[in-house]
Amino acid sequence: MTDRTTPHQIQVHTTTHHYETGTHPQKRYEGDIINTNNNNSIFSENGPSASQILAILAGLPVGGILLALAGLTLAGTLTGLAVTTPLFILFSPVIVPATIVIGLSVAAILTSGACGVTALSSFSWVTNYIRQTQGTVPEQMQSAKRTFADVAGYVGQKTKEIGEKTKDVGQEIQTKAHDAKAHDAKAHDAKRTSAVM
């Protein structure tokens, strides 16, 4: 038996086009969003939206502070390492302090990296949070207004019912007091007439 490999097929597409008539080819999807408008602006015609402005205003201070801390930590670590390297050579018998300094230097480098990653993730989180809550705030406000109006109506109805019950109870108490007074007057009159007889 002879080993035979299957033949391969090759397709060749020519890419030379002539656009002398002024027509342009359709744009093909290449895995990225294609801007079909003639303007190359990142923002819409009205400028940046309120959510974009809020995202920048909220994210810049937090990210800026964390990036500054990352830079300061890295600079301090590198300066300390540059100063202590000659000391390592001169005082090689004293290995324990050298180990401590190296450990602190590694910890400082990791801390500066963590601050940088935290800064970038905070930018991303604030931006996504503002974009998600942009459409839901007016809906939540309308829902809260409806709930408040329902509660106010319920409280008003209950207050009216309690007022009517209080009025009925007050009238009952007055009627009973009047009846008791009339009964006492009759009993007192009966005692007088029986005492006279």
Side-chain angles (χ1 to χ4, degrees), residues 1-40:
M1 263 195 222
T2 61
D3 283 333
R4 236 186 215 187
T5 59
T6 60
H8 297 282
Q9 295 180 354
I10 300 174
Q11 293 181 351
V12 178
H13 298 280
T14 60
T15 57
T16 56
H17 297 284
H18 298 286
Y19 301 111
E20 296 172 1
T21 59
T23 60
H24 299 288
Q26 285 186 331
K27 294 185 179 182
R28 297 176 67 190
Y29 178 76
E30 296 292 334
D32 200 0
I33 297 173
I34 297 174
N35 186 5
T36 58
N37 297 336
N38 288 336
N39 60 355
N40 292 330

Side-chain angles (χ1 to χ4, degrees), residues 101-187:
V101 170
I102 289 172
L104 290 175
S105 298
V106 168
I109 289 172
L110 292 176
T111 302
S112 69
C115 286
V117 169
T118 305
L120 294 176
S121 65
S122 69
F123 280 135
S124 174
W125 182 84
V126 168
T127 303
N128 288 335
Y129 180 77
I130 290 174
R131 285 181 185 162
Q132 289 173 356
T133 59
Q134 179 184 9
T136 61
V137 171
E139 294 167 6
Q140 290 173 351
M141 290 297 289
Q142 291 297 328
S143 176
K145 285 179 185 178
R146 281 191 301 259
T147 304
F148 183 71
D150 291 343
V151 168
Y154 178 75
V155 169
Q157 181 66 28
K158 284 296 182 183
T159 304
K160 185 178 178 182
E161 289 174 8
I162 290 172
E164 290 174 0
K165 286 182 183 179
T166 305
K167 184 178 176 183
D168 292 342
V169 169
Q171 287 177 350
E172 269 185 51
I173 291 172
Q174 278 184 337
T175 304
K176 286 183 181 180
H178 183 64
D179 290 344
K181 202 179 215 183
H183 186 303
D184 285 343
K186 285 183 186 179

Side-chain angles (χ1 to χ4, degrees), residues 76-97:
T77 302
L78 293 178
T79 302
L81 194 59
V83 168
T84 57
T85 300
L87 295 176
F88 290 156
I89 295 171
L90 292 175
F91 299 106
S92 59
V94 188
I95 196 73
V96 173

Side-chain angles (χ1 to χ4, degrees), residues 48-62:
S49 67
S51 66
Q52 290 171 337
I53 292 172
L54 285 175
I56 290 171
L57 290 179
L60 281 178
V62 173

